[in-house]
């Protein structure tokens, strides 16, 4: 929400975030990243200035060429020094488009697989307290340009960087702008990695619909605040490896919410609640082919709103054996 070009309300006034704060003698950490073409795992590599952007996937050990980069604004942000606007009745403009990606398990700290049988399939859950997750804001694909001298930053929705700009103190700056970069950071937290068998589907809409249905089901069944849990999809490869759902605690350090999914009663209650919520909604046609803010949609998953479909979830869980 503090990303450059976004608006922040403070003291009854609307300020525009503009600069990545700098610290004397220190640089922002820079990472290269990519999705592994073999297993779909999100791969990151800290830029150590050796000229290489290659990294080893922590899931399948493939060498991956990381062609995109993000910087970590670890010193914070500064607002535009211009006059702020008076806060009104409208919501502040948001320019961020944040996504979370699963990047592997630190130190092989996996809790083992827990398999749960259903009438027509099985659900395999593995949990860990040291799942590595990467948060990336790429400004809806446009990314940012950042002055390497004063930290002035703007969305890179134009080909060339600004011809002139001022630093946070209102003085002209002649610093050079970076290439287009995203903003991001990594953290360790509680995760539950979930696989459905048999299921070889690869369509985007199905997996994201099932992901957010499970999150809603977990919140209701396990009495979890929606802001304290989230998830992402780890994609399988073209050779038939299935996709995984990765649920994680949004609270820093984790509080053990998703760890509970490794227990049979909690998992079954979560899936039953997910099925009931999807089946009770009235959006879409007679087959439930649609989504709304009462079933699958929320502010954090706007990137896939057009693909979410509660009908896909209803039919899949019914086939698994959840009906009734």
């Amino acid at each position: 929400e503090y990303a450059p070009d976004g608006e922040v309300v403070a003291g009854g006034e609307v300020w525009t975030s503009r600069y990545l704060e700098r610290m004397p003698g220190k640089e922002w950490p820079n990472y290269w990243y990519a999705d592994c073409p073999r297993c779909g795992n999100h791969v990151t590599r800290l830029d150590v200035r050796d000229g290489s952007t290659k990294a080893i996937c922590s899931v399948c050990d493939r060498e991956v060429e990381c062609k995109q980069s993000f910087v970590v604004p670890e010193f914070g942000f500064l607002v535009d020094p211009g006059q702020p606007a008076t806060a009104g009745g409208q919501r502040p403009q948001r320019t961020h488009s944040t996504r979370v990606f699963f990047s592997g398990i630190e130190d092989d700290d996996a809790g083992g697989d827990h398999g749960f049988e259903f009438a027509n399939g099985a659900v395999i859950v593995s949990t860990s307290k040291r799942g590595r997750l990467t948060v990336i804001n790429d400004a809806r694909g446009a990314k940012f340009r950042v002055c390497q001298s004063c930290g002035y930053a703007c969305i890179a929705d134009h080909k060339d960087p600004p011809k002139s700009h001022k630093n946070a103190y209102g003085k002209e700056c002649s610093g050079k702008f970076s290439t287009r970069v995203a903003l991001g950071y990594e953290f360790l937290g509680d995760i539950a990695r979930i696989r459905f068998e048999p299921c070889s589907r690869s369509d985007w809409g199905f997996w994201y619909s099932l992901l957010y249905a499970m999150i809603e089901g977990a919140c209701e069944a396990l009495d979890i605040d929606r802001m304290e849990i989230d998830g992402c999809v780890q994609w399988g490869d073209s050779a038939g490896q299935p996709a995984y759902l990765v649920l994680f605690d949004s609270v820093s350090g984790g509080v053990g919410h998703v760890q509970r999914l490794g227990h049979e009663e909690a998992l079954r209650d979560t899936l039953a609640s997910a099925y009931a919520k999807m089946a009770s909604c009235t959006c879409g046609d007679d087959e439930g082919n649609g989504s709304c803010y009462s079933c699958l949609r929320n502010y954090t998953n706007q990137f896939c709103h057009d693909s979410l479909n509660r009908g896909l979830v209803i039919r899949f869980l019914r086939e698994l054996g959840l009906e009734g």
Side-chain angles (χ1 to χ4, degrees):
E1 64 193 276
Y2 301 115
D5 281 326
E7 295 178 341
V8 180
V9 177
E13 296 178 315
V14 180
W15 300 84
T16 300
S17 179
R18 178 55 61 207
Y19 302 85
L20 274 62
E21 176 70 290
R22 294 202 66 100
M23 296 293 287
K26 295 185 178 181
E27 297 293 331
W28 302 299
N30 185 81
Y31 287 82
W32 294 94
Y33 68 95
D35 290 331
C36 177
R38 174 182 295 166
C39 71
N41 183 50
H42 189 77
V43 180
T44 60
R45 168 199 164 94
L46 180 65
D47 186 356
V48 292
R49 309 298 180 185
D50 63 355
S52 174
T53 60
K54 294 181 179 180
I56 302 299
C57 175
S58 62
V59 173
C60 70
D61 294 327
R62 174 176 175 145
E63 185 177 73
V64 179
E65 181 75 36
C66 300
K67 298 182 178 180
Q68 302 186 77
S69 67
F70 70 85
V71 297
V72 182
E74 62 180 7
F75 311 123
F77 299 89
L78 297 175
V79 297
D80 195 301
Q83 289 296 320
T86 301
Q90 294 184 339
R91 177 178 294 180
Q93 179 179 347
R94 302 296 191 203
T95 57
H96 70 283
S97 178
T98 300
R99 296 276 304 279
V100 182
F101 301 90
F102 176 65
S103 302
I105 297 174
E106 196 81 358
D107 303 326
D108 294 326
D109 178 40
D113 288 347
H114 308 276
F116 307 108
E117 296 291 332
F118 288 81
N120 299 305
V123 181
I124 313 300
V125 182
S126 61
T127 60
S128 171
K129 297 189 71 66
R130 293 182 61 80
R132 190 151 54 92
L133 298 149
T134 306
V135 182
I136 294 178
N137 173 6
D138 66 357
R140 299 183 176 88
K143 298 189 177 180
F144 300 90
R145 291 192 184 276
V146 183
C147 174
Q148 301 300 291
S149 177
C150 72
Y152 181 100
C154 58
I155 295 178
D157 51 0
H158 299 292
K159 183 176 180 179
D160 299 319
K163 294 182 179 180
S164 63
H165 68 283
K166 297 180 179 180
N167 63 25
Y169 304 101
K171 296 183 179 180
E172 292 291 333
C173 177
S174 58
K176 295 183 178 180
F177 280 86
S178 66
T179 56
R180 296 167 65 242
V181 297
L183 304 180
Y185 64 95
E186 290 191 329
F187 69 97
L188 297 178
D190 290 347
I191 64 118
R193 194 162 172 254
I194 302 169
R195 183 174 80 249
F196 291 83
E197 294 183 348
C199 184
S200 59
R201 299 185 62 157
S202 60
D203 46 312
W204 166 290
F206 167 76
W207 285 108
Y208 275 105
S209 298
L210 184 58
L211 170 69
Y212 289 110
M214 281 205 68
I215 292 173
E216 295 294 335
C219 289
E220 185 169 328
L222 308 180
D223 194 25
I224 302 172
D225 187 294
R226 180 62 182 85
M227 298 300 294
E228 295 182 357
I229 185 175
D230 210 339
C232 59
V233 177
Q234 181 188 3
W235 295 103
D237 62 17
S238 58
Q241 179 178 331
Y244 291 82
L245 302 184
V246 180
L247 273 63
F248 57 86
D249 289 357
S250 300
V251 180
S252 179
V255 293
H257 288 322
V258 298
Q259 293 283 319
R260 297 159 65 186
L261 294 174
H263 300 282
E264 184 170 7
E265 182 179 1
L267 178 72
R268 290 185 182 276
D269 288 347
T270 291
L271 290 173
S273 293
Y275 178 84
K277 184 161 189 174
M278 297 304 105
S280 64
C281 192
T282 58
C283 67
D285 55 25
D286 292 341
E287 296 296 319
N289 292 314
S291 65
C292 68
Y293 281 89
S294 294
C295 56
L296 290 172
R297 297 187 182 190
N298 59 61
Y299 180 74
T300 65
N301 63 15
Q302 291 183 8
F303 70 93
C304 63
H305 275 186
D306 291 342
S307 301
L308 296 179
N309 185 318
R310 68 181 179 90
L312 294 175
V313 179
I314 293 170
R315 291 186 285 275
F316 175 74
L317 293 182
R318 187 180 293 157
E319 291 169 3
L320 186 65
L322 264 294
E323 188 174 14

